[in-house]
Amino acid sequence: MRVDLPEDLRPVKREPVQRISVSLPESVFQELDKLVERRGFESRSQAIAEMIQKSASEHSEDLGDAIMAGTITLFYNESKPGLWENLARIERENVDEVISSQHVLLEKNHVMEVLLVQGPASKLKKISDQLITCKGIFSGRLTLTSTLMPPIHPLPPKS
């Protein structure tokens, strides 16, 4: 007699693994070990595999037209000539997707700007790339979720 186990009780088929060698500066190596310990990974390999998987999914060009919500976080020096105007222009050009932005003044003319965005994932990725690659941005990141914000108000139909 054959018994089919529920899916969550079936043995997990492990996919074949490939080995690579990675050279890291000592300080990065030490940070990796701290991360493994803090997050409870079984090994450095597991931690690195998780980071690569996360990075690959974040940078996937296959985001498609699924509607998603998220944030674009930017760090920059506000004294960079023309930067603020360039960021504002990109945000205005994408007013349907950029819901709001928050500027937090940091030390030494630095600013953290967080934009709340919602729209087709591929469009949000494009907006994020435009903003992050502006001359003067020293760090930026797009974070997305499939959980959506309720509509603030209905937008008029585009003509």
Side-chain angles (χ1 to χ4, degrees):
M1 183 169 139
R2 180 176 172 211
V3 177
D4 285 327
L5 293 172
E7 196 168 315
D8 59 335
L9 295 178
R10 293 180 193 158
V12 176
K13 291 181 184 175
R14 299 189 91 160
E15 70 180 292
V17 296
Q18 299 293 321
R19 298 198 189 288
I20 62 170
S21 174
V22 178
S23 299
L24 301 172
E26 181 66 26
S27 61
V28 175
F29 181 79
Q30 296 299 325
E31 285 300 314
L32 176 61
D33 276 350
K34 289 177 191 173
L35 178 77
V36 168
E37 186 177 327
R38 276 194 311 261
R39 295 212 27 219
F41 287 111
E42 292 177 16
S43 64
R44 290 183 195 116
S45 292
Q46 184 186 26
I48 291 170
E50 190 268 342
M51 287 184 263
I52 291 171
Q53 181 63 39
K54 181 178 179 184
S55 183
S57 67
E58 286 176 0
H59 296 285
S60 171
E61 295 300 324
D62 254 353
L63 294 173
D65 290 328
I67 303 298
M68 299 185 87
T71 59
I72 300 171
T73 305
L74 306 170
F75 294 93
Y76 56 90
N77 186 321
E78 68 182 350
S79 64
K80 182 74 176 173
L83 176 59
W84 190 86
E85 292 83 358
N86 199 20
L87 295 175
R89 177 188 53 76
I90 294 167
E91 291 173 31
R92 278 191 206 100
E93 288 172 354
N94 297 286
V95 72
D96 288 346
E97 291 78 25
V98 178
I99 308 302
S100 70
S101 66
Q102 174 77 44
H103 297 79
V104 179
L105 303 177
L106 305 173
E107 297 177 318
K108 301 176 185 168
N109 293 328
H110 289 103
V111 175
M112 175 176 62
E113 182 174 347
V114 181
L115 292 89
L116 182 60
V117 294
Q118 182 166 283
S122 58
K123 179 85 185 262
L124 300 180
K125 174 79 169 107
K126 182 179 175 188
I127 295 166
S128 174
D129 288 345
Q130 285 180 302
L131 292 165
I132 291 170
T133 58
C134 285
K135 191 170 186 173
I137 299 291
F138 57 85
S139 179
R141 171 178 223 142
L142 169 66
T143 304
L144 294 176
T145 180
S146 58
T147 305
L148 300 179
M149 294 175 276
I152 298 168
H153 58 81
L155 293 175
K158 291 187 178 185
S159 23

